[in-house]
Amino acid sequence: MKRYSNRHLPRLITEISLAPLVDLVLVLMFVFVLAAPLLKNEPSLLSARGMRPQSAAVPAPQSSVRLFVFKDGSVTLDGAMLPRTNLPSALKELAAKRPEVGVELRMHRALDMQQLAEMMDMLKEAGVNRTAIATHADEP
């Protein structure tokens, strides 16, 4: 009978190096810390202004009215020219008659954002809850 030596048999390594495991955990933690703020549902612009976005359960408006604001400052509401000073009262009257109405605000693309913010504030004060914003290049 021949005798075999244990010298040439491969050794089984039973040690686990923790350094790669710790590196992997730190990289995953870093990725999730950076990705977590991006996964929020609430936009930061709305939360900064104190407004809450409408939930997805709010139905679409049954009817809509177009509000055009032209480059020279003139305004048309549903096709009728209005003086800019009469616009808040006309919007309040519209919101009182038809609370489910949506207003499609079409601003001239040459107007600045301050005027858009003023128009949105005017719509909010009038009680209009459903709005859409678009730009146009038409003249009155």
Side-chain angles (χ1 to χ4, degrees), residues 40-80:
K40 290 192 324 187
N41 289 336
E42 185 175 334
S44 61
L45 178 64
L46 293 178
S47 63
R49 295 187 80 193
M51 300 178 347
R52 291 187 353 221
Q54 292 182 356
S55 65
V58 174
Q62 296 173 358
S63 63
S64 66
V65 173
R66 287 190 176 172
L67 173 63
F68 279 90
V69 181
F70 295 100
K71 188 176 182 179
D72 61 355
S74 60
V75 176
T76 63
L77 180 63
D78 208 16

Side-chain angles (χ1 to χ4, degrees), residues 72-94:
D72 61 355
S74 60
V75 176
T76 63
L77 180 63
D78 208 16
M81 289 292 275
L82 285 175
R84 188 112 182 203
T85 57
N86 293 349
L87 185 60
S89 61
L91 288 172
K92 286 180 185 176
E93 182 180 321
L94 177 70

